[in-house]
Amino acid sequence: MRFGVKTRPEHTTWQQMRDVWVAADQFEIFESAWHWDHFYPLSGDMQGPNLEAWTTLAALAQATSRIRLGCQVTGMIYRHPAVLANMAATTDIISNGRLELGIGAGWNEMETAAYGIELYGLKERFDRFDEGTEAMIALLTEKVANFDGKYIKLTDAYCNPKPVQTPHPPITIGGKGPNRTLRAVAKWAQQWNVIVPNPQEWKALKDVLVQRCEEVGRDVDEITCSVNVRIDPDSPLDKAVAEAAAYGEAGVDLVIMNLPLDAPPSVLEPLAKALAPLA
């Protein structure tokens, strides 16, 4: 099994989050570190602080040297795909090829309503996500990109300089929709991330992903399957470790341990030791 960590950029400070990521960089068992892409907190006081995803991700890339880094996951509706492609290329350069490009269709109605960002109906949102993903891949891989979609248009478009990783930074698609999301995973993703309550539900979704891969002629084993396991600060660490082990037994490749809010860097050493027998 492989492991990553995730921090919550809500109700915290830049210094706190940076220190945790810098500490995680020192433990080889943690192959990646993640945060989320939201403008409002997802818990507690919704008017509280929440650090923006991509500016912090670029800064964290500079603050670390080994660990891979990504966002679970960037809402496609928040930024034009061509702009996001340029942001991803630059962040991959800053990190010297350590970016995991996490993307999703978006869902947070509270944020979009407050900011005047169109959320769109579910079908159009996923149509835009599909087009945006294809357009981003074109920009990240082709010298000159052209794309003629219903919603996204690229005309002799450049994304220069290109990312360090080729053909592009690995794409992580998050979500569990059996039709649109898992079909998008089968088409374009190098990693699939999902949050589920138990390994049984994950196995059922994995079976759907196998079917979607067969439909598009893709080998499902090319896709890293990841889940998130939340560490409850009020429960023994062994509980989260046992949950991670159960997902590993079910066939999950990568378990991302969600750290408690405002967890200090000191939580990482006991976590690394507890997970070591599973690695």
Side-chain angles (χ1 to χ4, degrees):
M1 290 180 66
R2 296 147 52 195
F3 296 98
V5 294
K6 182 176 180 180
T7 58
R8 291 155 58 181
E10 61 175 2
H11 307 300
T12 191
T13 65
W14 155 245
Q15 293 82 1
Q16 171 77 9
M17 188 163 67
R18 177 201 59 202
D19 290 350
V20 172
W21 283 51
V22 168
D25 198 35
Q26 307 306 310
F27 294 94
E28 290 191 7
I29 193 169
F30 303 126
E31 71 168 46
S32 55
W34 305 77
H35 63 8
W36 69 43
D37 182 28
H38 290 285
F39 305 107
Y40 283 20
L42 297 185
S43 68
D45 181 5
M46 299 303 172
Q47 298 179 14
N50 188 87
L51 294 165
E52 194 278 326
W54 278 88
T55 46
T56 54
L57 201 61
L60 290 162
Q62 182 69 14
T64 55
S65 61
R66 177 199 60 85
I67 201 164
R68 298 187 63 79
L69 51 135
C71 178
Q72 287 184 333
V73 285
T74 291
M76 188 72 76
I77 54 173
Y78 291 141
R79 304 166 188 83
H80 190 284
V83 175
L84 183 57
N86 278 269
M87 292 165 62
T90 297
T91 305
D92 198 50
I93 292 167
I94 292 170
S95 69
N96 195 27
R98 293 183 287 127
L99 176 67
E100 299 282 334
L101 179 50
I103 52 176
W107 60 269
N108 196 314
E109 187 174 359
M110 179 178 63
E111 293 176 333
T112 54
Y115 285 2
I117 297 171
E118 187 69 48
L119 183 60
Y120 308 108
L122 202 58
K123 181 183 183 303
E124 181 174 341
R125 197 185 321 158
F126 276 92
D127 289 345
R128 287 176 175 271
F129 175 76
D130 288 347
E131 287 191 12
T133 301
E134 290 191 78
M136 287 180 61
I137 291 172
L139 283 162
L140 292 169
T141 58
E142 299 171 12
K143 182 178 180 180
V144 183
N146 287 277
F147 186 83
D148 186 19
K150 181 178 179 180
Y151 304 105
I152 307 299
K153 309 283 186 181
L154 301 176
T155 305
D156 297 335
Y158 291 87
C159 176
N160 189 19
K162 289 286 188 276
V164 172
Q165 298 179 89
T166 56
H168 54 73
I171 292 173
T172 295
I173 294 179
K176 58 184 179 181
N179 296 315
R180 298 300 299 268
T181 299
L182 293 185
R183 185 172 289 111
V185 171
K187 286 182 178 179
W188 299 301
Q190 284 70 58
Q191 182 182 147
W192 166 49
N193 177 259
V194 66
I195 298 173
V196 288
N198 55 64
Q200 291 71 35
E201 184 170 326
W202 178 83
K203 288 175 74 173
L205 288 169
K206 175 66 182 293
D207 290 342
V208 177
L209 178 60
V210 170
Q211 180 181 345
R212 297 291 173 258
C213 285
E214 290 174 351
E215 291 167 357
V216 301
R218 178 98 182 271
D219 183 356
V220 71
D221 291 337
E222 296 175 1
I223 302 169
T224 293
C225 295
S226 68
V227 300
N228 292 16
V229 168
R230 179 175 176 266
I231 299 174
D232 186 343
D234 298 322
S235 299
L237 183 60
D238 291 349
K239 181 180 178 181
V241 173
E243 187 177 347
Y247 279 111
E249 292 172 2
V252 170
D253 303 303
L254 171 64
V255 176
I256 298 166
M257 308 300 293
N258 287 210
L259 301 180
L261 182 63
D262 271 345
S266 59
V267 305
L268 293 167
E269 184 172 2
L271 178 60
K273 288 181 178 179
L275 294 173
L278 303 179

